[in-house]
Amino acid sequence: MDAGSFIRRKYRIWQQVQTAVELIYPPRCLGCGNLTESDFGLCGSCWRDTPFIGGAVCDSCGAPVPGNADGHRIECDDCLKTPRPWRDGRAALLYQARARSLVLSLKHGDRPELARPASRWMAQAGRALFRPDMLIAPVPLHWSRLIKRRYNQSALLAQHLGRETGLDVCPDLLERRVRTPVLDGKTAAERAETLSGVISPHAKRKRKMQGRDVLLVDDVMTSGATLAACTQACATAGANHIFVLVLARVAKDA
C-alpha cells in the first residue's frame, strides 16, 4: 500500500469513528443543551441572545461606548474618572442575559468545558492586545476556594487562550494569600480596600515576568479592583506593560 492510499484509508476510518461518536453523543448547544451542528458551539437562538461586545469599546476596560472607532484612544467615563493601572483591556461579552448564565455555569456550575469556546471568543476580542513573547496569567484563587470548586475558572480560560494564541501561560504567576469575602454588593472603593495587599507574585515564578508584557485573564470584570491588585503585583515584580482580558464585562448600560 502506497503512502497516499494509507492516508486515505486512515481518513475514512477516522470519519467512520467520528460518525459513530456523533450518533452516540450528538453535539449540543452550550447554552440550552439543544442539538446543534458542531461541538462547543451555540445554537442560533442562544447566539442571538448572547451579548457579544462589538463596535467601539473603551481601550482601558473593553466596555462598549457610543460612536465609532476613529483611530484615536477611546475611554469610557469610569476610566476617565479613575484611570486604570494597566495599559489596555478588552472583554468578549457583556455580563447579562445568556452571557451571565454561561459565566456562572463555568464558575459555579461545574462546567469546565465552557472554557474552551469562551477562550476563542476572548482571543477574538483581545486580538489588539497580543504581543510577541507576552506571558498570560490568570487571576489567582485562594486555595480554600480552589478546593471547593476543584478548578480555577480563570486558569482554565488562560490555558485555552494560550493554545489559541500560542503565547506562554503561567497558571501560578500570582497567588492570593488571604481569603477575601465575596465582593458582590461592595462599592469600588470597598473592593479596592478589601484587596489591598492580598495578591502577590509567586516567589518562584516572578522572574518569568521580569521585562515581559503580561496579559491578565479573568472571567468577569466589575469594578476592576481585582485586576488592579494583580496589575500592581506584576508591576512590583518588574513586568513591562500589563494588559487585561476578561470573558465578560459588567457595564453600567447593562
Side-chain angles (χ1 to χ4, degrees), residues 176-189:
R176 190 185 296 241
R177 296 182 177 179
V178 178
R179 175 169 178 160
T180 54
V182 176
L183 299 177
D184 294 348
K186 292 184 179 294
T187 65

Side-chain angles (χ1 to χ4, degrees), residues 6-184:
F6 177 73
I7 292 173
R8 287 192 294 271
R9 182 170 180 271
K10 286 193 69 175
Y11 181 69
R12 287 195 298 271
I13 293 173
W14 178 83
Q15 284 184 313
Q16 292 168 357
V17 171
Q18 285 292 104
T19 301
V21 170
E22 289 177 1
L23 287 172
I24 300 172
Y25 303 106
R28 294 187 177 274
C29 172
L30 293 170
C32 65
N34 289 334
L35 295 178
T36 188
E37 293 182 0
S38 61
D39 287 323
F40 307 108
L42 296 170
C43 67
S45 177
C46 287
W47 184 270
R48 289 189 298 271
D49 291 341
T50 302
F52 289 93
I53 295 176
V57 300
C58 172
D59 284 310
S60 289
C61 73
V65 295
N68 298 310
D70 58 4
H72 297 283
R73 187 173 182 84
I74 303 173
E75 292 196 340
C76 66
D77 291 342
D78 284 348
C79 291
L80 286 172
K81 181 180 177 181
T82 307
R84 307 293 182 175
W86 57 81
R87 182 160 181 169
D88 294 315
R90 292 292 188 275
L93 310 168
L94 278 176
Y95 189 61
Q96 61 183 28
R98 182 69 66 180
R100 186 174 185 274
S101 299
L102 289 171
V103 171
L104 291 176
S105 294
L106 170 62
K107 191 170 186 174
H108 299 297
D110 200 22
R111 298 277 311 274
E113 75 277 6
L114 294 175
R116 179 178 171 186
S119 70
R120 293 175 181 170
W121 304 335
M122 293 170 71
Q124 179 68 19
R127 59 191 182 279
L129 306 180
F130 306 135
R131 302 289 191 275
D133 196 38
M134 176 177 265
L135 181 63
I136 299 176
V139 168
L141 195 65
H142 189 261
W143 65 266
S144 60
R145 288 200 169 99
L146 182 60
I147 290 174
K148 182 178 180 181
R149 294 184 193 172
R150 296 187 300 110
Y151 59 86
N152 177 359
Q153 71 280 355
S154 298
L156 289 180
L157 291 170
Q159 291 282 15
H160 284 290
L161 186 64
R163 296 188 184 102
E164 289 291 324
T165 61
L167 296 172
D168 290 342
V169 180
C170 185
D172 58 349
L173 187 70
L174 303 173
E175 56 184 352
R176 190 185 296 241
R177 296 182 177 179
V178 178
R179 175 169 178 160
T180 54
V182 176
L183 299 177
D184 294 348

Side-chain angles (χ1 to χ4, degrees), residues 175-230:
E175 56 184 352
R176 190 185 296 241
R177 296 182 177 179
V178 178
R179 175 169 178 160
T180 54
V182 176
L183 299 177
D184 294 348
K186 292 184 179 294
T187 65
E190 290 170 339
R191 287 169 180 259
E193 183 179 359
T194 300
L195 290 163
S196 178
V198 167
I199 296 173
S200 60
H202 191 293
K204 295 182 179 179
R205 305 286 183 268
K206 62 181 181 180
R207 57 182 171 76
K208 286 179 172 287
M209 68 175 113
Q210 291 176 356
R212 297 176 71 179
D213 291 335
V214 173
L215 179 68
L216 296 171
V217 170
D218 204 2
D219 56 347
V220 180
M221 183 196 303
T222 305
S223 71
T226 301
L227 288 161
C230 292

